[in-house]
Protein backbone atom coordinates (compact mmCIF):
# COMPACT_ATOMS: atom_id res chain seq x y z
CA UNK A 1 0.00 0.00 0.00
CA UNK A 2 1.45 3.39 -0.98
CA UNK A 3 1.90 6.32 1.38
CA UNK A 4 -0.79 8.19 -0.58
CA UNK A 5 -3.31 5.37 0.00
CA UNK A 6 -2.64 5.22 3.74
CA UNK A 7 -3.81 8.84 4.03
CA UNK A 8 -7.29 7.77 2.98
CA UNK A 9 -9.78 5.85 5.04
CA UNK A 10 -9.97 2.23 3.93
CA UNK A 11 -13.17 0.51 2.87
CA UNK A 12 -13.43 -3.14 1.88
CA UNK A 13 -16.41 -4.05 -0.28
CA UNK A 14 -17.21 -7.76 -0.59
CA UNK A 15 -19.01 -8.82 -3.78
CA UNK A 16 -18.76 -7.23 -7.23
CA UNK A 17 -22.35 -7.32 -8.45
CA UNK A 18 -24.69 -4.34 -8.82
CA UNK A 19 -24.62 -3.60 -5.08
CA UNK A 20 -20.88 -3.94 -4.55
CA UNK A 21 -19.91 -2.00 -7.66
CA UNK A 22 -22.36 0.73 -6.67
CA UNK A 23 -20.81 1.09 -3.21
CA UNK A 24 -17.24 0.85 -4.46
CA UNK A 25 -17.65 3.39 -7.24
CA UNK A 26 -19.23 6.07 -5.12
CA UNK A 27 -16.80 5.62 -2.23
CA UNK A 28 -13.77 5.64 -4.52
CA UNK A 29 -15.01 8.91 -6.04
CA UNK A 30 -15.29 10.33 -2.50
CA UNK A 31 -11.60 9.71 -1.82
CA UNK A 32 -11.74 6.42 0.07
CA UNK A 33 -9.12 3.72 -0.45
CA UNK A 34 -11.54 1.07 -1.72
CA UNK A 35 -10.71 -2.61 -2.15
CA UNK A 36 -13.41 -4.64 -3.88
CA UNK A 37 -13.17 -8.40 -3.29
CA UNK A 38 -14.92 -10.80 -5.68
CA UNK A 39 -14.99 -14.57 -5.12
CA UNK A 40 -15.50 -15.32 -8.82
CA UNK A 41 -13.12 -14.96 -11.71
CA UNK A 42 -14.75 -11.74 -12.94
CA UNK A 43 -16.70 -8.87 -11.41
CA UNK A 44 -20.42 -9.13 -12.02
CA UNK A 45 -21.93 -11.88 -9.91
CA UNK A 46 -24.61 -13.63 -11.99
CA UNK A 47 -24.03 -11.38 -15.00
CA UNK A 48 -20.30 -12.04 -15.21
CA UNK A 49 -19.45 -13.40 -18.63
CA UNK A 50 -18.08 -16.72 -19.88
CA UNK A 51 -17.25 -18.10 -23.31
CA UNK A 52 -18.26 -21.27 -25.15
CA UNK A 53 -15.52 -23.61 -26.43
CA UNK A 54 -15.91 -21.81 -29.77
CA UNK A 55 -15.22 -18.48 -28.07
CA UNK A 56 -18.74 -17.06 -28.11
CA UNK A 57 -19.83 -14.82 -25.23
CA UNK A 58 -22.22 -16.19 -22.60
CA UNK A 59 -23.73 -14.87 -19.38
CA UNK A 60 -25.88 -16.45 -16.68
CA UNK A 61 -29.28 -15.44 -17.96
CA UNK A 62 -30.70 -12.37 -19.65
CA UNK A 63 -31.55 -9.45 -17.38
CA UNK A 64 -34.14 -6.84 -18.29
CA UNK A 65 -34.02 -3.15 -17.43
CA UNK A 66 -37.51 -1.94 -16.63
CA UNK A 67 -38.97 1.54 -16.98
CA UNK A 68 -38.71 2.31 -13.21
CA UNK A 69 -34.92 1.66 -13.09
CA UNK A 70 -34.19 5.36 -12.68
CA UNK A 71 -30.93 4.98 -10.77
CA UNK A 72 -29.38 2.44 -13.14
CA UNK A 73 -30.28 4.60 -16.14
CA UNK A 74 -28.72 7.60 -14.36
CA UNK A 75 -25.58 5.52 -13.79
CA UNK A 76 -25.17 4.56 -17.45
CA UNK A 77 -25.73 8.20 -18.45
CA UNK A 78 -23.04 9.23 -15.97
CA UNK A 79 -20.63 6.62 -17.35
CA UNK A 80 -21.29 7.93 -20.84
CA UNK A 81 -22.39 4.57 -22.21
CA UNK A 82 -25.50 3.60 -24.17
CA UNK A 83 -25.77 -0.15 -23.58
CA UNK A 84 -29.52 -0.62 -24.00
CA UNK A 85 -31.87 -1.57 -26.80
CA UNK A 86 -34.99 0.43 -27.54
CA UNK A 87 -38.04 -0.38 -25.42
CA UNK A 88 -39.38 -3.78 -26.46
CA UNK A 89 -42.67 -5.64 -26.49
CA UNK A 90 -43.03 -9.08 -24.92
CA UNK A 91 -45.20 -12.18 -25.21
CA UNK A 92 -46.28 -15.10 -23.06
CA UNK A 93 -46.64 -18.71 -24.20
CA UNK A 94 -48.17 -21.90 -22.84
CA UNK A 95 -48.20 -25.39 -24.38
CA UNK A 96 -51.40 -24.23 -26.15
CA UNK A 97 -49.48 -21.49 -27.94
CA UNK A 98 -49.40 -17.69 -27.70
CA UNK A 99 -51.35 -16.47 -24.66
CA UNK A 100 -50.54 -12.79 -24.15
CA UNK A 101 -48.93 -9.92 -26.03
CA UNK A 102 -47.96 -6.74 -24.21
CA UNK A 103 -47.80 -3.40 -26.02
CA UNK A 104 -45.39 -0.58 -25.36
CA UNK A 105 -47.45 0.92 -22.57
CA UNK A 106 -45.73 4.32 -22.72
CA UNK A 107 -46.87 4.60 -26.37
CA UNK A 108 -50.55 4.17 -25.40
CA UNK A 109 -52.84 6.96 -24.16
CA UNK A 110 -52.14 7.29 -20.45
CA UNK A 111 -54.81 5.92 -18.13
CA UNK A 112 -54.91 5.95 -14.32
CA UNK A 113 -53.37 2.83 -12.84
CA UNK A 114 -54.28 -0.02 -13.14
CA UNK A 115 -56.56 0.66 -16.12
CA UNK A 116 -53.78 0.84 -18.70
CA UNK A 117 -52.36 -2.53 -17.74
CA UNK A 118 -55.86 -4.02 -17.68
CA UNK A 119 -57.11 -2.62 -20.99
CA UNK A 120 -54.04 -2.53 -23.23
CA UNK A 121 -52.66 -6.02 -22.54
CA UNK A 122 -53.77 -8.39 -25.31
CA UNK A 123 -54.96 -11.64 -23.74
CA UNK A 124 -55.55 -14.21 -26.48
CA UNK A 125 -57.53 -16.76 -24.47
CA UNK A 126 -58.14 -15.53 -20.92
CA UNK A 127 -61.84 -14.58 -20.59
CA UNK A 128 -62.86 -11.15 -19.34
CA UNK A 129 -64.64 -12.61 -16.31
CA UNK A 130 -61.36 -14.12 -15.10
CA UNK A 131 -59.50 -10.84 -15.57
CA UNK A 132 -62.22 -8.99 -13.64
CA UNK A 133 -61.68 -11.35 -10.70
CA UNK A 134 -58.39 -9.51 -10.04
CA UNK A 135 -60.14 -6.26 -9.09
CA UNK A 136 -60.63 -7.08 -5.37
CA UNK A 137 -56.86 -7.60 -5.16
CA UNK A 138 -56.50 -3.84 -5.54
CA UNK A 139 -57.40 -3.51 -1.85
CA UNK A 140 -54.32 -5.55 -0.86
CA UNK A 141 -52.13 -3.52 -3.21
CA UNK A 142 -53.40 -0.33 -1.56
CA UNK A 143 -52.85 -1.79 1.92
CA UNK A 144 -49.32 -2.95 1.12
CA UNK A 145 -47.33 0.30 1.29
CA UNK A 146 -43.84 -1.28 1.67
CA UNK A 147 -43.73 -0.30 5.35
CA UNK A 148 -42.29 -2.62 7.97
CA UNK A 149 -45.81 -3.15 9.27
CA UNK A 150 -47.09 -4.16 5.83
CA UNK A 151 -44.21 -6.58 5.28
CA UNK A 152 -44.80 -8.25 8.63
CA UNK A 153 -48.52 -8.56 7.92
CA UNK A 154 -48.34 -10.04 4.41
CA UNK A 155 -45.12 -12.00 4.77
CA UNK A 156 -46.89 -14.54 6.99
CA UNK A 157 -48.95 -15.99 4.14
CA UNK A 158 -48.16 -17.37 0.70
CA UNK A 159 -48.90 -15.53 -2.52
CA UNK A 160 -51.25 -18.33 -3.53
CA UNK A 161 -53.23 -17.92 -0.32
CA UNK A 162 -53.40 -14.16 -0.86
CA UNK A 163 -54.87 -14.55 -4.34
CA UNK A 164 -57.31 -17.18 -3.06
CA UNK A 165 -58.46 -14.91 -0.22
CA UNK A 166 -59.17 -12.07 -2.64
CA UNK A 167 -61.21 -14.24 -5.00
CA UNK A 168 -58.82 -14.44 -7.95
CA UNK A 169 -60.13 -17.08 -10.34
CA UNK A 170 -58.19 -20.33 -10.71
CA UNK A 171 -57.60 -19.65 -14.39
CA UNK A 172 -56.33 -16.11 -13.82
CA UNK A 173 -54.00 -17.39 -11.12
CA UNK A 174 -52.58 -20.26 -13.18
CA UNK A 175 -52.35 -18.35 -16.47
CA UNK A 176 -51.30 -14.91 -15.27
CA UNK A 177 -50.25 -14.42 -11.66
CA UNK A 178 -48.29 -17.61 -11.09
CA UNK A 179 -46.30 -17.19 -14.34
CA UNK A 180 -45.39 -13.68 -13.13
CA UNK A 181 -44.22 -15.12 -9.82
CA UNK A 182 -42.19 -17.87 -11.49
CA UNK A 183 -40.17 -15.39 -13.55
CA UNK A 184 -40.33 -12.45 -11.09
CA UNK A 185 -39.81 -14.13 -7.71
CA UNK A 186 -38.45 -17.38 -9.21
CA UNK A 187 -40.77 -19.77 -7.35
CA UNK A 188 -44.38 -21.03 -7.50
CA UNK A 189 -47.04 -19.11 -5.58
CA UNK A 190 -47.25 -21.57 -2.69
CA UNK A 191 -43.54 -20.94 -2.04
CA UNK A 192 -43.58 -17.12 -2.32
CA UNK A 193 -44.25 -14.55 0.37
CA UNK A 194 -47.43 -12.57 -0.27
CA UNK A 195 -45.56 -9.42 0.75
CA UNK A 196 -42.85 -10.00 -1.85
CA UNK A 197 -45.50 -10.78 -4.47
CA UNK A 198 -47.36 -7.52 -3.79
CA UNK A 199 -44.14 -5.49 -3.81
CA UNK A 200 -42.91 -7.06 -7.04
CA UNK A 201 -46.24 -6.81 -8.88
CA UNK A 202 -46.76 -3.20 -7.85
CA UNK A 203 -43.25 -2.03 -8.76
CA UNK A 204 -42.98 -3.75 -12.15
CA UNK A 205 -46.56 -3.71 -13.39
CA UNK A 206 -49.21 -1.83 -11.45
CA UNK A 207 -47.79 1.40 -9.99
CA UNK A 208 -47.78 3.30 -13.29
CA UNK A 209 -48.84 2.38 -16.79
CA UNK A 210 -45.34 2.26 -18.39
CA UNK A 211 -43.72 0.26 -15.57
CA UNK A 212 -43.85 -3.05 -17.45
CA UNK A 213 -41.96 -1.60 -20.44
CA UNK A 214 -38.49 -3.12 -20.63
CA UNK A 215 -35.30 -2.81 -22.57
CA UNK A 216 -32.27 -5.06 -22.71
CA UNK A 217 -28.52 -4.90 -22.91
CA UNK A 218 -27.21 -4.91 -26.50
CA UNK A 219 -24.67 -7.56 -25.48
CA UNK A 220 -23.63 -9.21 -22.23
CA UNK A 221 -24.08 -6.99 -19.18
CA UNK A 222 -20.54 -7.89 -18.17
CA UNK A 223 -19.09 -6.43 -21.37
CA UNK A 224 -21.54 -3.58 -21.97
CA UNK A 225 -21.92 -2.19 -18.43
CA UNK A 226 -19.66 -3.82 -15.87
CA UNK A 227 -16.43 -3.54 -17.87
CA UNK A 228 -16.63 0.25 -18.34
CA UNK A 229 -17.92 0.56 -14.76
CA UNK A 230 -14.99 -1.37 -13.26
CA UNK A 231 -12.60 0.67 -15.39
CA UNK A 232 -14.16 3.83 -13.93
CA UNK A 233 -13.73 2.44 -10.40
CA UNK A 234 -10.04 1.77 -11.07
CA UNK A 235 -9.57 5.25 -12.56
CA UNK A 236 -11.09 6.66 -9.35
CA UNK A 237 -8.46 4.77 -7.34
CA UNK A 238 -10.41 1.66 -6.37
CA UNK A 239 -8.74 -1.75 -6.41
CA UNK A 240 -10.69 -4.78 -7.71
CA UNK A 241 -9.44 -8.24 -6.78
CA UNK A 242 -11.11 -11.28 -8.36
CA UNK A 243 -10.72 -14.86 -7.07
CA UNK A 244 -10.76 -13.57 -3.49
CA UNK A 245 -13.18 -15.52 -1.33
CA UNK A 246 -13.73 -14.05 2.15
CA UNK A 247 -13.13 -16.52 4.99
CA UNK A 248 -13.39 -14.35 8.11
CA UNK A 249 -13.29 -10.88 9.63
CA UNK A 250 -11.34 -9.53 12.58
CA UNK A 251 -13.23 -7.54 15.19
CA UNK A 252 -12.29 -5.13 17.98
CA UNK A 253 -14.91 -3.48 20.20
CA UNK A 254 -17.79 -4.20 17.81
CA UNK A 255 -15.88 -2.79 14.84
CA UNK A 256 -14.65 -4.88 11.94
CA UNK A 257 -10.95 -4.04 11.55
CA UNK A 258 -10.06 -6.35 8.67
CA UNK A 259 -11.43 -8.78 6.11
CA UNK A 260 -9.61 -12.10 5.74
CA UNK A 261 -9.26 -14.04 2.47
CA UNK A 262 -7.28 -17.16 3.32
CA UNK A 263 -3.76 -15.95 4.02
CA UNK A 264 -4.46 -12.36 2.97
CA UNK A 265 -5.70 -9.72 5.40
CA UNK A 266 -7.27 -6.45 4.21
CA UNK A 267 -7.43 -3.82 6.94
CA UNK A 268 -10.55 -1.67 6.94
CA UNK A 269 -12.13 1.35 8.57
CA UNK A 270 -15.49 0.20 7.19
CA UNK A 271 -16.81 -2.87 5.36
CA UNK A 272 -19.71 -3.42 2.96
CA UNK A 273 -21.02 -6.95 2.40
CA UNK A 274 -22.70 -6.93 -1.01
CA UNK A 275 -23.17 -10.65 -1.57
CA UNK A 276 -26.19 -12.86 -2.10
CA UNK A 277 -27.68 -15.14 0.51
CA UNK A 278 -25.74 -18.20 -0.66
CA UNK A 279 -22.45 -16.31 -0.63
CA UNK A 280 -23.08 -14.86 2.81
CA UNK A 281 -23.94 -18.28 4.20
CA UNK A 282 -20.55 -19.57 3.07
CA UNK A 283 -18.78 -16.64 4.71
CA UNK A 284 -20.72 -17.03 7.98
CA UNK A 285 -20.03 -20.76 8.11
CA UNK A 286 -16.29 -20.07 8.11
CA UNK A 287 -16.30 -17.03 10.37
CA UNK A 288 -16.53 -17.46 14.18
CA UNK A 289 -16.92 -13.68 14.49
CA UNK A 290 -20.04 -13.62 12.32
CA UNK A 291 -21.51 -16.89 13.59
CA UNK A 292 -21.50 -15.40 17.08
CA UNK A 293 -24.01 -12.71 16.05
CA UNK A 294 -27.68 -13.72 15.97
CA UNK A 295 -28.48 -11.71 12.85
CA UNK A 296 -25.84 -13.60 10.86
CA UNK A 297 -26.55 -17.05 12.27
CA UNK A 298 -30.21 -16.45 11.34
CA UNK A 299 -29.16 -16.27 7.67
CA UNK A 300 -29.45 -20.07 7.75
CA UNK A 301 -33.23 -19.54 7.74
CA UNK A 302 -33.08 -17.93 4.29
CA UNK A 303 -32.88 -19.73 0.97
CA UNK A 304 -32.18 -19.30 -2.71
CA UNK A 305 -33.50 -20.75 -5.96
CA UNK A 306 -31.74 -22.82 -8.63
CA UNK A 307 -31.30 -21.29 -12.09
CA UNK A 308 -30.46 -22.93 -15.42
CA UNK A 309 -29.33 -20.66 -18.24
CA UNK A 310 -28.90 -21.95 -21.79
CA UNK A 311 -27.86 -20.34 -25.05
CA UNK A 312 -28.34 -22.07 -28.40
CA UNK A 313 -26.85 -21.28 -31.80
CA UNK A 314 -29.07 -22.79 -34.51
CA UNK A 315 -28.33 -23.59 -38.13
CA UNK A 316 -31.27 -21.61 -39.51
CA UNK A 317 -33.44 -18.59 -38.92
CA UNK A 318 -36.51 -19.14 -36.75
CA UNK A 319 -39.10 -16.38 -36.82
CA UNK A 320 -39.57 -15.21 -33.22
CA UNK A 321 -42.35 -12.58 -33.29
CA UNK A 322 -41.24 -10.67 -30.19
CA UNK A 323 -37.75 -10.53 -28.65
CA UNK A 324 -38.64 -11.40 -25.03
CA UNK A 325 -41.02 -14.17 -24.00
CA UNK A 326 -42.17 -15.78 -20.74
CA UNK A 327 -43.60 -19.29 -20.62
CA UNK A 328 -45.84 -21.23 -18.25
CA UNK A 329 -47.47 -24.64 -18.07
CA UNK A 330 -44.51 -26.59 -19.44
CA UNK A 331 -43.18 -27.65 -16.02
CA UNK A 332 -45.34 -27.67 -12.85
CA UNK A 333 -43.12 -25.52 -10.62
CA UNK A 334 -40.64 -24.01 -13.07
CA UNK A 335 -40.92 -20.78 -15.00
CA UNK A 336 -38.81 -20.02 -18.04
CA UNK A 337 -38.11 -17.30 -20.54
CA UNK A 338 -36.62 -17.17 -24.02
CA UNK A 339 -35.06 -14.31 -25.95
CA UNK A 340 -34.27 -13.59 -29.57
CA UNK A 341 -30.63 -12.50 -29.32
CA UNK A 342 -30.51 -11.71 -33.05
CA UNK A 343 -32.88 -8.86 -32.22
CA UNK A 344 -31.34 -7.84 -28.89
CA UNK A 345 -27.56 -8.25 -29.20
CA UNK A 346 -25.57 -6.24 -31.72
CA UNK A 347 -23.10 -9.05 -32.40
CA UNK A 348 -25.84 -11.42 -33.62
CA UNK A 349 -27.83 -9.10 -35.88
CA UNK A 350 -26.18 -10.47 -39.01
CA UNK A 351 -25.80 -14.05 -37.75
CA UNK A 352 -26.93 -16.52 -40.48
CA UNK A 353 -28.79 -18.66 -37.93
CA UNK A 354 -30.87 -17.97 -34.83
CA UNK A 355 -29.28 -17.33 -31.44
CA UNK A 356 -31.75 -17.91 -28.62
CA UNK A 357 -31.39 -17.75 -24.83
CA UNK A 358 -33.67 -19.90 -22.65
CA UNK A 359 -33.47 -19.46 -18.87
CA UNK A 360 -35.24 -21.60 -16.27
CA UNK A 361 -36.06 -20.52 -12.71
CA UNK A 362 -36.81 -22.85 -9.81
CA UNK A 363 -35.01 -25.33 -12.02
CA UNK A 364 -34.29 -27.90 -9.28
CA UNK A 365 -35.23 -30.94 -11.36
CA UNK A 366 -33.25 -29.75 -14.41
CA UNK A 367 -29.87 -29.13 -12.82
CA UNK A 368 -29.10 -32.84 -12.48
CA UNK A 369 -29.53 -33.49 -16.22
CA UNK A 370 -26.44 -33.68 -18.43
CA UNK A 371 -26.00 -31.17 -21.24
CA UNK A 372 -27.50 -33.40 -23.93
CA UNK A 373 -30.61 -33.99 -21.82
CA UNK A 374 -30.90 -30.27 -21.08
CA UNK A 375 -30.58 -29.34 -24.76
CA UNK A 376 -33.21 -31.89 -25.76
CA UNK A 377 -35.62 -30.48 -23.14
CA UNK A 378 -34.95 -26.87 -24.13
CA UNK A 379 -35.51 -27.54 -27.82
CA UNK A 380 -38.70 -29.44 -27.03
CA UNK A 381 -39.98 -26.55 -24.91
CA UNK A 382 -39.09 -23.96 -27.56
CA UNK A 383 -40.88 -26.04 -30.21
CA UNK A 384 -43.93 -26.11 -27.93
CA UNK A 385 -44.06 -22.32 -28.32
CA UNK A 386 -42.86 -21.94 -31.92
CA UNK A 387 -42.90 -25.25 -33.85
CA UNK A 388 -40.07 -24.22 -36.21
CA UNK A 389 -37.60 -24.62 -33.34
CA UNK A 390 -38.10 -28.38 -33.56
CA UNK A 391 -36.71 -28.50 -37.11
CA UNK A 392 -33.49 -26.59 -36.34
CA UNK A 393 -30.11 -28.10 -35.54
CA UNK A 394 -28.01 -26.88 -32.61
CA UNK A 395 -24.51 -26.00 -33.86
CA UNK A 396 -23.16 -24.50 -30.60
CA UNK A 397 -24.49 -24.15 -27.09
CA UNK A 398 -23.83 -23.10 -23.53
CA UNK A 399 -25.42 -24.57 -20.42
CA UNK A 400 -24.82 -22.68 -17.16
CA UNK A 401 -26.07 -24.17 -13.89
CA UNK A 402 -26.40 -21.84 -10.92
CA UNK A 403 -27.45 -23.77 -7.79
CA UNK A 404 -29.04 -21.45 -5.22
CA UNK A 405 -28.49 -18.59 -7.63
CA UNK A 406 -31.28 -16.09 -6.89
CA UNK A 407 -33.02 -14.93 -3.73
CA UNK A 408 -36.02 -16.92 -2.52
CA UNK A 409 -38.55 -14.64 -0.82
CA UNK A 410 -40.27 -17.47 1.04
CA UNK A 411 -43.21 -16.90 3.41
CA UNK A 412 -41.88 -15.92 6.83
CA UNK A 413 -38.46 -14.91 5.51
CA UNK A 414 -38.81 -11.16 6.13
CA UNK A 415 -37.88 -11.42 9.80
CA UNK A 416 -34.46 -12.83 8.81
CA UNK A 417 -33.63 -10.37 6.02
CA UNK A 418 -30.94 -7.91 7.08
CA UNK A 419 -31.18 -4.11 6.97
CA UNK A 420 -28.32 -1.97 5.69
CA UNK A 421 -26.94 -1.55 9.21
CA UNK A 422 -25.74 -4.40 11.42
CA UNK A 423 -24.76 -4.89 15.05
CA UNK A 424 -21.18 -4.05 14.02
CA UNK A 425 -20.62 -0.30 14.07
CA UNK A 426 -18.91 -0.19 10.68
CA UNK A 427 -20.24 -3.21 8.75
CA UNK A 428 -23.02 -2.49 6.27
CA UNK A 429 -25.12 -4.69 3.96
CA UNK A 430 -26.26 -4.33 0.36
CA UNK A 431 -28.02 -6.54 -2.18
CA UNK A 432 -31.39 -7.36 -3.70
CA UNK A 433 -32.45 -9.18 -0.49
CA UNK A 434 -31.62 -6.36 1.94
CA UNK A 435 -34.50 -4.52 3.64
CA UNK A 436 -34.97 -1.05 2.20
CA UNK A 437 -37.87 1.36 2.17
CA UNK A 438 -36.94 2.62 -1.30
CA UNK A 439 -39.50 0.37 -3.01
CA UNK A 440 -37.41 -0.91 -5.93
CA UNK A 441 -36.74 -4.53 -6.90
CA UNK A 442 -34.15 -6.78 -8.54
CA UNK A 443 -31.10 -5.11 -10.12
CA UNK A 444 -32.31 -1.61 -9.33
CA UNK A 445 -32.82 -2.57 -5.68
CA UNK A 446 -29.34 -4.12 -5.49
CA UNK A 447 -27.77 -0.96 -6.92
CA UNK A 448 -29.81 1.33 -4.65
CA UNK A 449 -28.85 -0.62 -1.52
CA UNK A 450 -25.23 -0.39 -2.63
CA UNK A 451 -25.57 3.40 -2.66
CA UNK A 452 -27.38 3.30 0.69
CA UNK A 453 -24.51 1.29 2.19
CA UNK A 454 -22.00 3.79 0.77
CA UNK A 455 -23.96 6.60 2.40
CA UNK A 456 -23.81 4.75 5.73
CA UNK A 457 -20.04 4.50 5.38
CA UNK A 458 -19.83 8.24 4.67
CA UNK A 459 -22.02 9.06 7.69
CA UNK A 460 -19.90 6.82 9.92
CA UNK A 461 -16.43 7.88 8.76
CA UNK A 462 -17.29 11.52 8.04
CA UNK A 463 -15.61 11.86 4.67
CA UNK A 464 -17.21 12.78 1.34
CA UNK A 465 -20.68 13.58 0.07
CA UNK A 466 -23.53 11.03 0.09
CA UNK A 467 -24.76 9.55 -3.16
CA UNK A 468 -27.95 10.95 -4.63
CA UNK A 469 -30.59 8.21 -4.78
CA UNK A 470 -33.52 8.89 -7.06
CA UNK A 471 -36.78 7.88 -5.36
CA UNK A 472 -39.39 5.64 -6.94
CA UNK A 473 -41.89 7.73 -8.92
CA UNK A 474 -44.65 8.70 -6.45
CA UNK A 475 -48.02 6.97 -6.44
CA UNK A 476 -50.66 8.49 -8.64
CA UNK A 477 -53.06 10.89 -6.81
CA UNK A 478 -55.97 8.45 -6.62
CA UNK A 479 -53.68 5.77 -5.14
CA UNK A 480 -52.33 8.27 -2.60
CA UNK A 481 -55.89 9.15 -1.55
CA UNK A 482 -56.88 5.48 -1.22
CA UNK A 483 -53.76 4.73 0.83
CA UNK A 484 -54.46 7.69 3.12
CA UNK A 485 -58.02 6.47 3.70
CA UNK A 486 -56.75 2.95 4.27
CA UNK A 487 -54.26 4.17 6.89
CA UNK A 488 -57.01 6.07 8.71
CA UNK A 489 -59.21 2.98 8.78
CA UNK A 490 -56.31 0.85 9.95
CA UNK A 491 -55.50 3.32 12.76
CA UNK A 492 -59.13 3.30 13.85
CA UNK A 493 -59.19 -0.49 14.01
CA UNK A 494 -56.07 -0.48 16.18
CA UNK A 495 -58.15 0.93 19.01
CA UNK A 496 -60.37 -2.14 19.06
CA UNK A 497 -59.56 -5.30 21.05
CA UNK A 498 -57.62 -7.78 18.90
CA UNK A 499 -57.78 -11.49 19.62
CA UNK A 500 -57.68 -12.94 16.06
CA UNK A 501 -54.55 -14.51 14.67
CA UNK A 502 -52.97 -11.90 12.36
Amino acid sequence: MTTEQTEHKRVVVVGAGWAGLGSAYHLARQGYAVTLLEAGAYPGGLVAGWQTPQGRAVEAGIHGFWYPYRNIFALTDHLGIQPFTEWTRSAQYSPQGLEVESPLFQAQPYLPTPLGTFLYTDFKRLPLVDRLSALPLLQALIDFDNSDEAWQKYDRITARELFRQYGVSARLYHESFEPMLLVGLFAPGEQCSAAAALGMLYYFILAHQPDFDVRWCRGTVGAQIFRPWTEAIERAGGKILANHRVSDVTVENSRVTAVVCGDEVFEADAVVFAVGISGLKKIVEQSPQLRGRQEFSDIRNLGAVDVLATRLWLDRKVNIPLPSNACFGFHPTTGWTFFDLNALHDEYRDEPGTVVEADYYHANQLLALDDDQVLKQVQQDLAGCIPAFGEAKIIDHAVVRIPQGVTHFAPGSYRYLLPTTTSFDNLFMAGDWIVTRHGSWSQEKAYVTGLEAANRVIATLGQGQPAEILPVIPDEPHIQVMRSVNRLVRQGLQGLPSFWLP
Side-chain angles (χ1 to χ4, degrees):
M1 186 173 289
T2 66
T3 303
E4 183 180 348
Q5 284 178 308
T6 59
E7 297 173 356
H8 300 284
K9 293 178 180 177
R10 299 158 299 185
V11 181
V12 175
V13 179
V14 180
W18 284 102
L21 291 170
S23 285
Y25 184 44
H26 184 74
L27 291 171
R29 292 173 63 217
Q30 299 305 308
Y32 289 90
V34 175
T35 302
L36 178 58
L37 304 175
E38 167 58 40
Y42 308 97
L46 277 186
V47 296
W50 293 271
Q51 289 188 331
T52 70
Q54 288 79 6
R56 294 180 168 105
V58 180
E59 59 189 331
I62 297 293
H63 302 266
F65 295 82
W66 269 261
Y67 190 86
Y69 281 15
R70 305 176 72 198
N71 289 281
I72 286 179
F73 296 147
L75 168 70
T76 55
D77 288 344
H78 165 79
L79 293 173
I81 58 177
Q82 298 297 328
F84 303 116
T85 67
E86 297 298 319
W87 301 101
T88 63
R89 298 175 57 216
S90 58
Q92 194 173 80
Y93 288 86
S94 77
Q96 284 70 51
L98 179 63
E99 297 284 350
V100 183
E101 285 187 343
S102 297
L104 282 182
F105 287 99
Q106 58 195 286
Q108 305 299 318
Y110 199 94
L111 296 174
T113 190
L115 292 178
T117 305
F118 183 81
L119 294 177
Y120 295 139
T121 303
D122 183 10
F123 292 92
K124 304 297 184 181
R125 292 184 178 86
L126 189 64
L128 178 62
V129 65
D130 291 279
R131 284 179 271 157
L132 289 173
S133 73
L135 291 179
L137 190 63
L138 184 61
Q139 194 279 323
L141 287 162
I142 295 297
D143 192 43
F144 183 81
D145 57 5
N146 199 45
S147 64
D148 180 69
E149 179 187 14
W151 269 91
Q152 291 189 41
K153 175 181 177 180
Y154 287 97
D155 190 58
R156 297 184 177 106
I157 62 173
T158 70
R160 187 186 188 284
E161 178 63 16
L162 174 79
F163 295 132
R164 189 196 66 78
Q165 287 181 8
Y166 280 87
V168 169
S169 76
R171 186 165 179 179
L172 178 63
Y173 174 75
H174 290 299
E175 296 185 13
S176 183
F177 285 120
E178 184 159 63
M180 292 179 196
L181 297 176
L182 284 168
V183 299
L185 294 180
F186 316 118
E190 65 270 17
Q191 298 181 32
C192 292
S193 156
L198 289 170
M200 183 272 294
L201 290 171
Y202 191 71
Y203 179 72
F204 283 119
I205 300 173
L206 296 174
H208 309 90
Q209 182 175 299
D211 284 349
F212 192 63
D213 288 349
V214 63
R215 49 188 181 171
W216 311 87
C217 211
R218 301 202 318 266
T220 65
V221 173
Q224 297 286 324
I225 300 177
F226 282 11
R227 189 174 299 159
W229 198 5
T230 54
E231 290 170 355
I233 291 171
E234 291 173 335
R235 287 196 302 270
K239 183 189 300 183
I240 302 174
L241 301 177
N243 295 308
H244 277 68
R245 188 175 296 279
V246 172
S247 54
D248 204 355
V249 295
T250 60
V251 178
E252 292 179 12
N253 300 323
S254 204
R255 291 182 66 85
V256 176
T257 57
V259 175
V260 181
C261 295
D263 296 330
E264 295 184 85
V265 177
F266 299 90
E267 295 181 351
D269 296 298
V271 175
V272 176
F273 274 169
V275 294
I277 288 169
S278 298
L280 187 59
K281 282 182 178 180
K282 293 175 183 176
I283 295 172
V284 172
E285 286 169 4
Q286 298 179 72
S287 171
Q289 296 285 0
L290 296 177
R291 287 200 308 269
R293 303 275 175 140
Q294 186 71 44
E295 66 206 297
F296 288 99
S297 62
D298 279 348
I299 296 297
R300 299 288 301 177
N301 291 303
L302 298 174
V305 175
D306 296 339
V307 177
L308 177 70
T310 69
R311 186 166 295 187
L312 311 183
W313 284 261
L314 305 178
D315 67 342
R316 68 195 66 186
K317 286 289 188 182
V318 175
N319 179 34
I320 305 173
L322 294 177
S324 61
N325 307 275
C327 308
F328 68 91
F330 292 81
H331 306 275
T333 61
T334 300
W336 64 286
T337 52
F338 70 93
F339 304 91
D340 179 3
L341 297 191
N342 300 85
L344 298 178
H345 285 193
D346 292 348
E347 63 185 300
Y348 300 129
R349 290 194 184 279
D350 298 323
E351 191 86 4
T354 292
V355 186
V356 61
E357 173 94 12
D359 301 328
Y360 292 77
Y361 301 97
H362 203 261
N364 317 37
Q365 74 281 8
L366 301 177
L367 258 58
L369 302 179
D370 63 33
D371 281 8
D372 288 342
Q373 292 171 314
V374 168
L375 295 174
K376 181 179 179 181
Q377 183 65 67
V378 172
Q379 191 165 14
Q380 178 181 313
D381 288 343
L382 288 169
C385 301
I386 300 174
F389 275 115
E391 303 166 4
K393 180 181 178 182
I394 300 171
I395 58 175
D396 195 9
H397 70 273
V399 177
V400 180
R401 299 169 180 82
I402 312 111
Q404 306 290 287
V406 293
T407 304
H408 182 198
F409 292 96
S413 61
Y414 177 71
R415 72 185 72 179
Y416 303 115
L417 301 178
L418 294 180
T420 305
T421 56
T422 70
S423 60
F424 295 100
D425 296 339
N426 65 336
L427 172 59
F428 307 100
M429 305 299 302
D432 71 350
W433 60 280
I434 299 304
V435 174
T436 173
R437 302 274 79 93
H438 183 263
S440 50
W441 276 89
S442 195
Q443 298 170 104
E444 174 83 350
K445 179 182 177 183
Y447 177 52
V448 164
T449 60
L451 297 181
E452 289 177 339
N455 289 347
R456 294 286 188 176
V457 170
I458 290 168
T460 300
L461 299 184
Q463 174 184 314
Q465 296 298 314
E468 179 186 5
I469 300 174
L470 300 175
V472 171
I473 297 172
D475 291 330
E476 293 179 1
H478 65 291
I479 300 295
Q480 293 183 35
V481 169
M482 286 190 282
R483 284 194 160 160
S484 296
V485 171
N486 184 72
R487 279 191 292 270
L488 291 173
V489 172
R490 208 163 52 193
Q491 290 168 4
L493 292 176
Q494 286 174 354
L496 299 175
S498 178
F499 54 89
W500 289 281
L501 181 67

